[in-house]
Structures are given as structure tokens and as C-alpha cells.
Amino acid sequence: MTELHPELRENVRMLGELLGQSIRRHPGQDCYELIEEVRAAAKADRRQESGSGQRLVNLLGKLSDDELLPVTRAFNQFLNLANLAEQYHGIRRKRGHQSDLMVESLGDVFSRLKNGGVSAEELHRRVADLRIEYVLTAHPTEVARRTLIMKYDEMSDCLARLDHDDLLPAERDEIVDRLSQLVTEAWHTDEIRHERPTAVDEAKWGFAVIENSLWEALPRFLRSLDLSLSEATGKGLPLNASPIRIASWMGGDRDGNPNVTHEVTRKVFLLGRWMAADLYLRDIQALRAELSMWQASDELRAVTGDSREPYRMVLAGLREKLIKTRDWAEASVAGEPVDSSDILFANEDFTGPLELCYRSLVDCGLETIANGPLLDTIRRAHTFGLPLIRLDIRQEAARHASAVAEMVEYLGMGDYLSWSEQERQDFLVRELKGRRPLVPRNWRPSDEVAEVLATCEVVAQQTPEALGSYVISMASKPSDVLNVILLLREAGMANPMRVVPLFETLDDLRGAPDSMAALYNVDWYRDYCEGRQEVMIGYSDSSKDAGQMMAAWAQYQAQEQLTQVASDHGVHLTLFHGRGGTVGRGGGPANRAILSQPPGSVNGSFRITEQGEMIRFKFGLPRLAEQSLTLYTTAVIEATLAPPRSPEPEWREVMDWLTERSLKAYRDVVRENPDFVPYFRQVTPEQALGKLALGSRPARRKPGGGVESLRAIPWIFAWTQMRMMLPSWLGSDVALEEAFRNDKVPVLREMMQQWPFFKTYVDMLEMVLAKSDLRIASYYEQTLVEDPELLELGKSLRERLQGCIRNLLELKQQEMLLEQEPVFAHSMRVRNPYTDPLHYLQAELLKRDRESEGKGEVPEMVERALKVTMAGISAGMRNTG
């Protein structure tokens, strides 16, 4: 059995001991001994063959209200510390050590591609033109508070400082003392947010990820890419290359979130500029200390005259403008009048002087200096720009149609919403070709329409570098895209913005190729998009709608067909993957996911959402971010230059056969079974999730709606908390069962060996099944389900989960789950004695919470402990939604 790496095990042990010391000091020795007793009971119950959990249940049942919170907090805190140790272990750089989580180097991938027949010229061209964009989304499933994350980051720094063989005893003691202080501070910090963050708070959190991690990681990654590319092809990256870009939905995603208004979006644009100016100011100050040379090119002398320190003179000018820009942004956020002259607004106003200094140094034979910190700042400027982050706007298609309809009605031109699609298209194209404004001068639109128009005005005032994509949810027709373009033009938009239809449900995915073909057939639009189109694929809603197996296959087919349709019309397609951290939201190891996409669909460009706690797990520390950037980049380059094979016709037939059965089995339960929604509400903490201040968005699109109105995150969060993991396997169980009955296993094994898409799907299913726990799911049911008639459904679901595990093991010819992922398997086993008490406590707390609500008052201690269990289980599972 694989154990944790010795260094990782030692760090987990040390952090656990430091936490124990903090608990002994306060609340005291008795509390510490109680926590140890609970942990021992959890371990003993796990060792029992029956795994009844009875000893643990009996012990926890005796806890008083006063004991509940410290016990719950202790296990939550330990799981966060274990995550921190694992995260640090992934980026260790100790001599002679190779982390289990190390990614393949850029140089190794380039060598493999060249050996496979890719020419140096083609490799260089593809890397130089690369476009990978990460979109930090407004799905903040990040449970941990920002103040705790900062303490955890410093703890990681302490672990790195301890990771040296040449420390003196006094030096080591000093670091351990600081680590002890930080663990104690974390123990005495309330881990639960009591106020729901605003959309502006979310945006600031996104900016903090850039400031604390990506600002340092990105130029370091680009140096590595530049060097590897030079070694492989003889030429490095162009000076203005920006293969990596960062965008955000935080403050721009208004779909179903009434808290994101045009004023919020305006504020976020300004805050981004304030933060960028502040960060660049730090760079410029450092560069002024570095660039003290007097040699300069004629080009630079033409600007600086006979100055003895020409570089410092140029940088001083930039410094003054950055200070004015920062002051202007700050005053604008506060709504105060301010002079906007002489500020830095367009990117070239900043990159131009920096590149002038760079060229001059190179011309004077000072390449070594040119390629130092100056090059890093230039690369930051081309990647982040003056806006810092590219803000996406997301809104539902019906909101745009209503805005156009109100305009048309006011002008006496008819009832737009009753028009056919062709009539709408003809009208929109005619207006777009014309020059007269459509919005009437004295018109007073409804509040909803006024908000849509005000948002378009805010967007129109930005530079192109500040804008990501305008994403339209529930888009299905060309008019959905044309509506947005017309509204933006009416608002004064000078530069065409990417307008991106989002296909989410199963029907949307199936109709996407025809929808896009119809859009490409509009001559005016083909000219407008200049041969480039982005299309977003929604993972979470399609999975909630159709079950994970059918959703995965529908996504794959949609991407294939969308790629073909774009190619037929001479359009370069970028697919925007709306993935989350969990399998039910398209999650899983990023490189495997990218390398399993349909051939041709990753064509040098790739856009992907990163949400919640996954942002911290992938980009929270500079070394971690550098590693994640490398992993994505190598996968996108490889998928572009050496795509996987197309599936055999027989494999397609088998997937159609499997998913036909999985879809029916999934919907028979989720949509057709009248007991399902009551069972879901009673057995999971779904209705208590609103108490956890996760983000600015409501948990439901419509208050009081059923499962269909529930957002994908709480839907998955709820099932993860009680370890049923239902969204990720329901339907697959029946499909696999039928495959065994109908002798399709040999072809399934062939598909696993030769088709990356199917292998990735099966591996992800295995990972989810390994996180499920029948014993715990059963305990939630015993404790929480009040209606006896619902118990039959619960029993059936657990039997199906058991059957799914049995069939998957048989399919993979394994004795136990995760045989080929021993490190991950061991990590799960180490966590179980800490997550188990939280599960049993949560079930008990939910029961007390519901009983108290019935009486009209919930004790604060119970509610707070319940929130801590949610946070702790999320930490133990390494994902929320």
C-alpha cells in the first residue's frame, strides 16, 4: 500500500501537533483529549470490516452544545492544514526530490513533438500564436475566508524555509515558532464568513490572486517558455507575445444575479485599473533603481535629449502618469470629479516607452540587462495590460430580446417578440448596416431594459484590452447574438467585442451546430467577426439536465460538429469550456481533459473557467501557478499539434447505446420519480446551504423552484456533503450494468485503451466513486429522512451506487478503486478519520437545526457548528461545487 511521501507525512504531522498545542492552550486539555478520543473512534470504526461507525456515533451523540463547536472546528482546521501541506508538497524544490505532482516540462513536450514529426518552424509558429485564457468565475465556492488564506500562504512559506538541510538549530526554531504562531492565529480566527460577499468583494478577491501569485508566476513561466522554445527551435518568444491571458466573471456575470448591476461593473473596471497602476508602480520603482546606464540608442536620445540617465528619465515620466492614473481611478470609484488628462488608459501608452528602453539596451549591446526585470515588466504589460484583467459580461438572451422589443414597440415598428427568426434577423442586420441611431432620445425604458442599456454603455467606454467576451446564456438563434451587437453599437461601442453564445442544456448542445451554421450564414455577421468565433460549452447545467455520462458525450459531439461547421465556413473557432472543479461540472485533471478533446477542437486557442477553491488550488501560490500554467500550456500545444485519434464508428455506436440508457435512467429518477425532490431536500443539507455565505449569487435562479431551478453548484455541493456523489454517477450505473448484460465489455476495454475521451471519463467516474461512502450516506438518511415512504428510494440509490462501483472495478479489472492512483487513494484514507466526525456531526446538527427552526429559533452554536462542518467536509473532499 502506497504511503504518503515521508516529507509530506512529516509536514502533516508537524502541523497537526502545532494545532494540538493550540487546542491544549485554549479551550484546554479536556477539549484536546475529547478531540483525540473522537479521532481514535473514527480510526477504529474505519478499521472494522463492517464499518458501522457506531462507536463514533455514540461518542458524538454525547457532546453538549458547548463541545460541538470546538470539536467541529478542530477537524475542519486539521483538514485545511493537510491541504496546505499537500499543496506545498506539489511544488517542493528540495535537492534530489521530485514531487509526486510534478508536471512534464515544456522542453520534454517540445522534444516529443519534434520526434513525432513536428517541424521547428511549425512548433515556433504555434507557440508564438498561442492563446490560453483563464476566466476566474463568479462561482465563489471558496469556503475559506480571505484572512485565513493569507495565513495559510505564510504557513506554506514557512514550510519552504524549513526545506533546507543547512539550517542552524536557532534558525529552524525561529521558523517553527512563526509556524506555531500562525497555526494558533488560524485556530483563534472565525473560519466562517457571516456576511455574503458582494460582487465587488469577489472581484477584489480575483485581483488579489493576481497580486499575490500570478504577478510573480507569469513572467517566470514566460521565461521558461522562452528558453524551452529557443532550445527547441532556435527562436524565442516575440517581445509582445501574450500566450496567457486572465479574464474574470467577477463583477460582470449578471445572469441570475440581481446584485451585479452596471454600477458594480463600472466600479470593477475602475478597481482593476487602480490595482494595475499600483502594481506597475512597484515595477517602475524597481526598474529605476536597475536602469542607471547612460548608453542609449539614437531612438531613445530623440526622446530624452542629452540626459545622463535616459532610462530613468523615461521611467520617471511613466511613474508620474501611473500615480495620476491610480489617483484618477480611486476618485472615479468614489464618484468624485477628477482630471483624466495625462493618465495611462490605452496599453500602448505604457508598453511603448518600455519597449523603447528595451530596444535601446539591445542596440547598445546590453541584452543581459534588457532581458532582466525590464522584460518581465513588458511581459506583464502585454498579459495583464492597464485594466489588469479582461472582464467578461454574461447575461441571458431573453433580456436582450426584451430590450430590442421595447425599442421597436416605442418606435411603432411592431411586436418584435412575435416576429419569426428570419424577420428578426432581417431587421437587426438592416439596422446594423445603417448609420442612424435606434434608441429614441426621450424614451424612458422599463427598469430592466434601462439596466441592460446602462451595462452596454459602461462596456462601450472601455478599451479593447479591458474586455473579454460578452457571453449570452440560453442562446439558441442568430438573433440572440445580433441583439447584443446592436445594443452595444447603440451604446457607442467602437471596437467589436467577442459575442459568445453559451450552450448549456442537452437540447442546447444538440442544437448548437445548426445555430452556429445559421449565424455564419448571415453575410453581415461573417464580416463583423473577421473569421474568428468563440463558443461556450456549459458543463454543469448539461450534467444536471442529462446526467454526467450523457452530458460528457453530448459535449464531445457538439465540439466535433462545431469545429466542423466553423471549418466549413472558414472561421477559426475557440471553444470556451465552462468547467468547474468537480466531475459533475466537467472537472478533473486539466491536462487529461484537454488531451481528450475531439481532434481539431483545440486549435492553438483554449478558454476555460476556473472557479472557487480550484483557483486557490491551482494558482494560490506563485510556484503552484507556474506549474499550472505549464501543465495547461503543454496540453494545449500537444492537443493542437498531436491531437488524439477520432473515435471508431463502433465506439460511437456504443457511446450512443450507453448514453441512451444513462439518460433515461437519470431522468427517471431526477425528473419522473415524485419521491426524488422530497428525498433530496431531506437527506442532504441543500436547504441549509443558503446559510453559508458562499458568494453574491442566490443559490436558486427562482425562489421556491424545484431541482431544475437550483444552480449546479449547490446541487453538487449538497450530494458531496453527504457522500452520495449522485450527480456524477447516476445513469452511468444502469449503462454499465446493461453493457455487462449485453456483452459490450470487450469493446469498452478497447475504448479505454485507445480513446482518451472514454478513458478520461472512466477515470473521472472512478475518482468520484472513491469519494462516495455508503455508510455515511446511510447515516444521513437514518438521521434526517422523516417520511418512511422515501426510504425505499434511498435504499435503491445506495444499491445502484454499490452496483456502479462493482461494475467499474470489473471493467477496469481491479480489486479496489484507485489502484492506479495510489497517492490519491492514500490521501483519501488519511483524511477519512477527520472527515468522518464532521459527517456524523453534520447529520446531527442538521437534525437539531431543522427541529429548532420548527420551534422558531436556532441556537447560534448549532448554526455556527453546522457551517463549520460544511467548510470542513469541503476541505476534506478537496472540492465544494
Side-chain angles (χ1 to χ4, degrees):
M1 187 182 290
T2 300
E3 296 291 318
L4 292 184
H5 197 281
E7 280 98 340
L8 172 56
R9 190 170 62 242
E10 170 57 24
N11 281 341
V12 171
R13 184 199 60 74
M14 176 174 61
L15 290 168
E17 283 184 1
L18 292 175
L19 176 61
Q21 290 169 17
S22 297
I23 294 168
R24 278 198 198 94
R25 287 191 290 269
H26 184 81
Q29 184 67 23
D30 289 350
C31 182
Y32 173 77
E33 287 174 5
L34 175 61
I35 290 162
E36 282 298 291
E37 194 180 351
V38 170
R39 187 166 70 108
K43 281 188 167 180
D45 282 344
R46 278 278 167 184
R47 281 196 295 269
Q48 287 177 9
E49 285 302 312
S50 62
S52 67
Q54 201 53 50
R55 184 179 163 192
L56 183 58
V57 170
N58 291 340
L59 184 56
L60 294 173
K62 295 173 188 169
L63 295 182
S64 67
D65 278 3
D66 288 344
E67 290 169 327
L68 277 172
L69 189 60
V71 170
T72 308
R73 291 190 68 236
F75 287 99
N76 170 45
Q77 196 61 260
F78 177 81
L79 288 163
N80 276 307
L81 294 174
N83 281 349
L84 181 153
E86 280 193 10
Q87 190 178 42
Y88 171 68
H89 183 67
I91 52 171
R92 295 184 76 241
R93 286 293 181 272
K94 195 168 181 181
R95 231 179 6 258
H97 169 77
Q98 266 222 327
S99 159
D100 300 309
L101 305 177
M102 289 274 283
V103 300
E104 189 176 16
S105 73
L106 290 155
D108 288 348
V109 173
F110 291 169
S111 295
R112 192 169 67 247
L113 289 169
K114 285 176 72 182
N115 292 338
V118 176
S119 69
E121 292 75 22
E122 174 72 352
L123 179 60
H124 186 273
R125 182 178 70 81
R126 285 297 197 169
V127 174
D129 292 343
L130 203 62
R131 285 284 177 276
I132 301 172
E133 194 157 23
Y134 304 94
V135 185
L136 311 181
T137 76
H139 294 297
T141 54
E142 173 59 83
V143 177
R145 290 177 61 204
R146 179 81 208 139
T147 186
L148 277 170
I149 291 170
M150 290 169 74
K151 294 185 195 306
Y152 296 148
D153 287 351
E154 194 181 339
M155 289 181 207
S156 291
D157 186 54
C158 288
L159 293 180
R161 287 161 57 203
L162 285 171
D163 220 352
H164 292 273
D165 297 328
D166 56 353
L167 286 175
L168 297 172
E171 290 174 323
R172 181 178 174 78
D173 290 347
E174 186 183 329
I175 299 166
V176 173
D177 284 349
R178 179 56 184 153
L179 199 49
S180 176
Q181 285 169 6
L182 290 164
V183 170
T184 304
E185 286 174 14
W187 173 243
H188 288 280
T189 299
D190 188 351
E191 57 272 271
I192 298 301
R193 279 197 217 102
H194 296 282
E195 301 288 322
R196 192 173 282 278
T198 66
V200 172
D201 291 336
E202 290 171 352
K204 287 178 179 175
W205 184 77
F207 297 154
V209 172
I210 294 177
E211 178 184 14
N212 298 328
S213 175
L214 286 166
W215 195 256
E216 180 185 336
L218 186 112
R220 211 156 61 190
F221 162 74
L222 290 177
R223 281 183 176 282
S224 171
L225 180 60
D226 188 30
L227 179 63
S228 299
L229 191 62
S230 292
E231 288 172 350
T233 69
K235 284 190 297 183
L237 278 178
L239 187 62
N240 62 353
S242 53
I244 303 294
R245 296 189 179 179
I246 310 295
S248 175
W249 278 14
M250 301 180 194
D253 177 13
R254 58 241 312 120
D255 178 22
N257 188 351
N259 303 312
V260 179
T261 63
H262 73 279
E263 191 50 44
V264 164
T265 299
R266 186 188 76 86
K267 202 170 193 176
V268 170
F269 275 124
L270 289 166
L271 286 169
R273 288 187 177 272
W274 184 94
M275 184 86 246
D278 195 61
L279 287 169
Y280 287 125
L281 259 173
R282 299 175 209 176
D283 273 18
I284 295 300
Q285 300 281 40
L287 283 174
R288 288 191 78 236
E290 293 257 341
L291 302 185
S292 53
M293 306 80 229
W294 55 266
Q295 301 101 315
S297 65
D298 291 344
E299 184 189 18
L300 182 58
R301 286 287 177 205
V303 174
T304 62
D306 294 331
S307 170
R308 279 180 290 185
E309 294 183 325
Y311 302 96
R312 285 181 168 173
M313 184 177 173
V314 170
L315 294 170
L318 282 178
R319 183 186 61 185
E320 294 310 309
K321 288 185 177 181
L322 283 168
I323 291 169
K324 284 183 179 175
T325 303
R326 189 178 60 180
D327 293 347
W328 161 80
E330 187 174 2
S332 299
V333 167
E336 297 167 2
V338 62
D339 180 13
S340 62
S341 62
D342 218 23
I343 64 166
L344 291 168
F345 199 66
N347 266 21
E348 55 267 25
D349 295 342
F350 184 54
T351 56
L354 292 174
E355 289 180 4
L356 171 62
C357 290
Y358 182 90
R359 287 193 301 273
S360 174
L361 287 167
V362 171
D363 288 349
C364 295
L366 302 174
E367 290 97 334
T368 307
I369 297 169
N371 289 322
L374 175 60
L375 180 58
D376 289 347
T377 300
I378 290 171
R379 286 190 167 142
R380 285 186 183 116
H382 281 295
T383 299
F384 299 114
L386 290 168
L388 190 67
I389 212 161
R390 294 163 189 268
L391 193 63
D392 276 15
I393 305 296
R394 183 167 77 134
Q395 181 59 280
E396 194 182 347
R399 294 288 299 273
H400 309 123
S402 295
V404 174
E406 257 190 49
M407 261 185 243
V408 168
E409 183 186 19
Y410 181 83
L411 293 168
M413 299 170 73
D415 179 4
Y416 180 78
L417 296 179
S418 71
W419 291 356
S420 70
E421 172 61 16
Q422 193 56 55
E423 287 173 319
R424 290 190 193 188
Q425 282 183 39
D426 291 345
F427 165 76
L428 292 165
V429 170
R430 192 165 59 247
E431 289 300 324
L432 285 163
K433 282 180 175 174
R435 295 186 178 178
R436 68 174 175 83
L438 186 64
V439 178
R441 184 176 297 171
N442 300 316
W443 172 50
R444 290 196 174 175
S446 65
D447 289 348
E448 276 208 346
V449 169
E451 175 57 37
V452 170
L453 297 175
T455 298
C456 289
E457 284 176 18
V458 169
V459 170
Q461 290 160 8
Q462 309 307 316
T463 58
E465 302 88 16
L467 300 174
S469 301
Y470 196 121
V471 178
I472 314 168
S473 55
M474 304 300 173
S476 59
K477 308 176 292 293
S479 63
D480 292 331
V481 173
L482 298 173
N483 282 334
V484 172
I485 300 172
L486 180 63
L487 291 170
L488 288 171
R489 192 200 71 173
E490 289 296 313
M493 188 84 175
N495 301 289
M497 185 178 183
R498 294 186 305 231
V499 180
V500 178
L502 162 56
F503 299 104
E504 297 181 87
T505 64
L506 180 59
D507 287 345
D508 286 346
L509 289 168
R510 286 173 167 170
D514 286 344
S515 294
M516 294 311 299
L519 184 61
Y520 299 143
N521 283 329
V522 177
D523 294 341
W524 180 89
Y525 181 76
R526 270 206 319 281
D527 291 340
Y528 170 88
C529 74
E530 296 179 335
R532 301 187 78 83
Q533 179 64 46
E534 187 177 307
V535 173
M536 185 169 182
I537 302 290
Y539 285 72
S540 44
D541 279 307
S542 55
S543 180
K544 183 159 75 77
D545 175 41
Q548 179 57 23
M549 181 181 265
M550 173 52 100
W553 181 226
Q555 290 150 11
Y556 186 93
Q557 291 175 299
Q559 289 178 64
E560 275 189 315
Q561 292 161 24
L562 285 165
T563 301
Q564 186 59 53
V565 166
S567 175
D568 292 346
H569 287 84
V571 171
H572 180 280
L573 178 69
T574 296
L575 286 163
F576 179 9
H577 300 264
R579 304 172 80 90
T582 58
V583 173
R585 302 193 62 233
N591 57 335
R592 289 193 218 168
I594 294 167
L595 291 167
S596 66
Q597 301 302 310
S601 65
V602 182
N603 187 14
S605 59
F606 194 81
R607 206 167 192 254
I608 188 166
T609 53
E610 295 290 358
Q611 57 83 23
E613 77 285 354
M614 300 314 296
I615 295 174
R616 179 158 60 101
F617 292 156
K618 292 179 182 178
F619 303 105
L621 300 169
R623 287 284 182 195
L624 202 62
E626 197 179 341
Q627 200 174 74
S628 294
L629 295 172
T630 301
L631 184 135
Y632 274 93
T633 301
T634 53
V636 170
I637 292 167
E638 192 159 1
T640 299
L641 290 169
R645 61 185 286 187
S646 290
E648 298 293 328
E650 184 187 11
W651 302 348
R652 291 180 185 277
E653 286 170 20
V654 169
M655 280 308 298
D656 287 339
W657 187 91
L658 286 170
T659 52
E660 191 182 310
R661 282 148 184 78
S662 73
L663 175 65
K664 183 178 187 311
Y666 177 84
R667 286 186 171 171
D668 278 352
V669 173
V670 174
R671 289 192 182 182
E672 306 301 328
N673 189 325
D675 289 341
F676 179 74
V677 171
Y679 178 79
F680 168 61
R681 295 257 159 85
Q682 289 183 36
V683 82
T684 74
E686 180 258 326
Q687 295 195 289
L689 291 180
K691 298 178 182 191
L692 202 58
L694 274 177
S696 69
R697 271 166 54 154
R700 291 184 176 277
R701 285 185 168 87
K702 294 172 187 164
V707 168
E708 76 290 342
S709 73
L710 194 68
R711 292 194 177 280
I713 289 174
W715 163 244
I716 291 170
F717 191 124
W719 289 110
T720 303
Q721 289 279 303
M722 49 83 69
R723 299 292 279 276
M724 181 78 89
M725 316 300 285
L726 177 137
S728 300
W729 62 263
L730 185 64
S732 306
D733 60 312
V734 169
L736 288 177
E737 187 75 38
E738 294 272 318
F740 273 89
R741 273 201 216 118
N742 289 272
D743 198 29
K744 293 190 183 291
V745 172
V747 71
L748 293 187
R749 287 183 180 144
E750 178 187 298
M751 289 158 66
M752 276 167 44
Q753 287 171 345
Q754 299 180 40
W755 188 17
F757 163 76
F758 191 69
K759 176 172 172 33
T760 299
Y761 173 75
V762 172
D763 288 348
M764 291 302 99
L765 178 60
E766 180 183 17
M767 185 191 77
V768 170
L769 294 175
K771 287 186 175 184
S772 69
D773 194 301
L774 289 158
R775 181 186 63 167
I776 287 168
S778 179
Y779 183 74
Y780 274 75
E781 186 180 287
Q782 292 164 28
T783 309
L784 297 169
V785 175
E786 296 172 353
D787 303 342
E789 62 269 24
L790 300 179
L791 296 177
E792 196 55 42
L793 173 60
K795 181 172 177 244
S796 156
L797 289 172
R798 288 195 305 281
E799 285 172 354
R800 288 174 62 168
L801 172 55
Q802 210 158 11
C804 193
I805 293 170
R806 192 170 53 247
N807 284 326
L808 184 117
L809 288 173
E810 178 63 28
L811 176 64
K812 294 194 82 170
Q813 298 171 300
Q814 293 176 184
E815 293 291 317
M816 57 196 294
L817 293 170
L818 299 176
E819 268 183 25
Q820 291 157 34
E821 298 284 349
V823 175
F824 179 63
H826 188 71
S827 172
M828 288 293 294
R829 284 194 294 275
V830 167
R831 289 160 189 273
N832 283 331
Y834 299 91
T835 52
D836 286 358
L838 292 172
H839 287 296
Y840 289 116
L841 280 165
Q842 185 180 85
E844 175 62 30
L845 288 161
L846 281 167
K847 186 180 178 186
R848 293 190 199 182
D849 186 63
R850 290 172 187 178
E851 287 168 353
S852 302
E853 277 186 344
K855 296 171 188 168
E857 191 176 346
V858 180
E860 187 195 344
M861 206 62 87
V862 169
E863 189 150 297
R864 193 170 158 206
L866 176 57
K867 292 175 182 176
V868 176
T869 64
M870 292 180 192
I873 291 166
S874 298
M877 295 291 96
R878 287 297 294 264
N879 55 267
T880 50

